[in-house]
Amino acid sequence: MDSTTLVIFGASGDLTRRKLIPALYNAAGKGRLPAGFHLVGMSRSVLPTTEFRADLRQAALGLEARRDPAWDAFAATIETLRGDPTSADDLEHLERRLVELESEGSGGANRLYYLATPPHVYPEVIARLGALGMTAQAHGWRRLVVEKPFGSDLPTAQALNQAIHQVLDESQVYRIDHYLGKETVQNVLVFRFANSIFEPLWNRRYIDHVQITVAETVGVEHRGDFYDRVGVLRDMFQNHLMQVLTMVAMEPPSSFDADALRDERSKALRAVRPIAAQSVLSETVRAQYQGYLQETGVAPDSTTPTYAALRLFIDNWRWQGVPFYLRSGKAMAAKTTGVLIQFKSVPHVMFPLPPGRSIRPNALEICLQPDEGMHLVF
């Protein structure tokens, strides 16, 4: 039987507790984790295994959760290892422990390395893994998951890509946006391409504009140091919002295949009109919420935006002239994520209306969270 080990570098962080472990626990409950599964969490400040499991249990089940045999079975696969993933000595220690775990099986030894570390250490961790032979696929497959943000601009993203390809083949790499794993986000594709009723209207002739909104009620919480170096544009726009935009704007792919979906999304992104430097003030809005400068880890003179709104245009036959409004912010009045398709008004109203009154244009709202669903106003 093959063994499969998920190694999370930076396991003490918020991503592991809030996202990865609850998702893996749900997958385990549905029987979707492979037999012989192990999870090893590594970071410089990770808790001992027993305390780490208890902390994760609270994150996955809540404070008032009763004893759950399913959780106990899943938690038994989790262990921690204190260490720095940029240290060759610590990675050698990790390698010895992984070999011990893998020796329990009689088949291949598969590994998935998940970089939940600060982005600036990605290249060094990847280089260390390669130098120690931990990415070689002689005894099983090796995969690497890279979380966003992927670089800070185009040159740094290209440099990171080059660093990855010096160690790994492209087929071994997942550059993920966990937002795309949301069922309601995936439902945008089903809504568009499994129904014939809206596709004839899905173009510049009938759509006035599109709004994509991600509003959060929470502030930066304890992520101030990270967030102040990233800001709302890199935290939300260049990944989550742009991916939702591609799902709304893309052409129908030939199949529900990863490469076909990627190709059509890439075409939509390449058609987005760049915002010229002289147009930034008229096409964007940036702001901070009150109290941001007092958050732990935030520089007292920081100009990092926590709210932004953009107006984008897609230069192709389907969308020419249709504005796409993207907006996101923290510490907002309500938590909501959704897409609003605003259709054009009818060209002529024959009905008598009171002075100053008009017929409200049709609108389609795709609610991604918290109240998932579709609302059609007509």
Side-chain angles (χ1 to χ4, degrees):
M1 180 182 68
D2 290 354
S3 68
T4 302
T5 305
L6 170 60
V7 180
I8 301 177
F9 294 117
S12 60
D14 191 59
L15 177 66
T16 300
R17 189 176 187 275
R18 290 182 56 188
K19 301 291 186 182
L20 301 185
I21 292 301
L24 288 166
Y25 169 61
N26 288 334
K30 297 174 182 177
R32 294 177 179 174
L33 294 184
F37 175 80
H38 300 280
L39 191 157
V40 178
M42 183 179 188
S43 78
R44 287 175 295 182
S45 58
V46 74
L47 295 169
T49 295
T50 302
E51 297 176 36
F52 188 64
R53 289 174 178 174
D55 182 63
L56 296 180
R57 181 181 186 277
Q58 177 180 321
L61 303 181
L63 291 172
E64 305 301 327
R66 298 179 179 178
R67 184 173 181 83
D68 184 349
W71 169 259
D72 294 340
F74 172 65
T77 68
I78 301 172
E79 65 177 77
T80 59
L81 200 64
R82 190 181 298 273
D84 182 352
T86 64
S87 164
D89 290 340
D90 289 347
L91 286 183
E92 288 177 352
H93 183 203
L94 171 65
E95 171 68 10
R96 290 192 292 271
R97 180 54 187 154
L98 294 178
V99 170
E100 292 175 1
L101 290 172
E102 292 161 353
S103 65
E104 299 173 4
S106 57
N110 305 318
R111 297 181 191 173
L112 177 63
Y113 301 115
Y114 198 118
L115 297 184
T117 62
H120 66 273
V121 304
Y122 289 171
E124 188 173 0
V125 175
I126 294 167
R128 294 284 189 193
L129 290 171
L132 294 172
M134 297 176 69
T135 58
Q137 303 191 89
H139 305 292
W141 53 253
R142 300 288 186 269
R143 300 288 187 269
L144 178 78
V145 176
V146 183
E147 259 282 358
K148 59 90 178 175
F150 195 87
S152 57
D153 52 21
L154 180 59
T156 56
Q158 291 172 331
L160 177 55
N161 225 30
Q162 292 171 358
I164 290 173
H165 286 153
Q166 288 177 359
V167 174
L168 297 152
D169 182 78
E170 178 60 28
S171 63
Q172 295 177 264
V173 183
Y174 297 102
R175 300 169 190 80
I176 74 163
D177 180 356
H178 56 256
Y179 212 75
L180 297 181
K182 293 180 181 292
E183 185 177 2
T184 46
V185 174
Q186 296 177 8
N187 281 347
V188 174
L189 292 180
V190 179
F191 180 82
R192 281 196 60 192
F193 301 129
N195 299 290
S196 62
I197 187 171
F198 290 109
E199 186 58 27
L201 310 177
W202 213 261
N203 56 63
R204 60 187 297 271
R205 289 189 62 192
Y206 298 101
I207 293 178
D208 182 77
H209 68 268
V210 177
Q211 300 177 31
I212 302 175
T213 303
V214 178
E216 302 177 274
T217 55
V218 298
V220 298
E221 298 178 306
H222 57 277
R223 299 168 66 234
D225 181 60
F226 165 78
Y227 193 91
D228 202 41
R229 288 182 280 112
V230 174
V232 68
L233 289 173
R234 287 175 59 205
D235 189 47
M236 295 299 299
F237 279 76
Q238 57 89 31
N239 39 74
H240 301 337
L241 271 74
M242 292 301 290
Q243 289 290 357
V244 174
L245 179 144
T246 62
M247 289 186 164
V248 173
M250 66 189 283
E251 296 298 319
S254 58
S255 67
F256 197 63
D257 173 78
D259 290 342
L261 289 170
R262 177 203 62 199
D263 291 346
E264 295 302 333
R265 289 208 303 261
S266 296
K267 290 177 186 177
L269 287 173
R270 285 196 294 269
V272 174
R273 184 189 308 169
I275 298 177
Q278 63 270 22
S279 302
V280 168
L281 291 179
S282 62
E283 301 298 318
T284 73
V285 174
R286 287 154 293 160
Q288 286 180 353
Y289 65 81
Q290 188 174 8
Y292 174 71
L293 297 180
Q294 285 72 53
E295 298 280 13
T296 303
V298 174
D301 58 348
S302 173
T303 59
T304 299
T306 65
Y307 172 88
L310 311 179
R311 178 167 55 191
L312 299 176
F313 292 91
I314 299 177
D315 291 331
N316 60 21
W317 277 48
R318 182 185 290 266
W319 296 111
Q320 189 66 40
V322 177
F324 282 71
Y325 297 99
L326 279 59
R327 57 194 175 199
S328 180
K330 288 190 172 294
M332 304 295 285
K335 178 180 176 65
T336 182
T337 302
V339 179
L340 177 70
I341 310 296
Q342 181 68 65
F343 293 98
K344 291 184 176 181
S345 300
V346 292
H348 171 66
V349 178
M350 68 189 77
F351 312 107
L353 296 173
R357 293 289 299 275
S358 61
I359 293 179
R360 180 182 176 185
N362 303 128
L364 172 66
E365 186 175 7
I366 304 172
C367 302
L368 303 180
Q369 66 178 34
D371 301 315
E372 297 89 351
M374 313 290 182
H375 303 277
L376 177 62
V377 178
F378 64 92

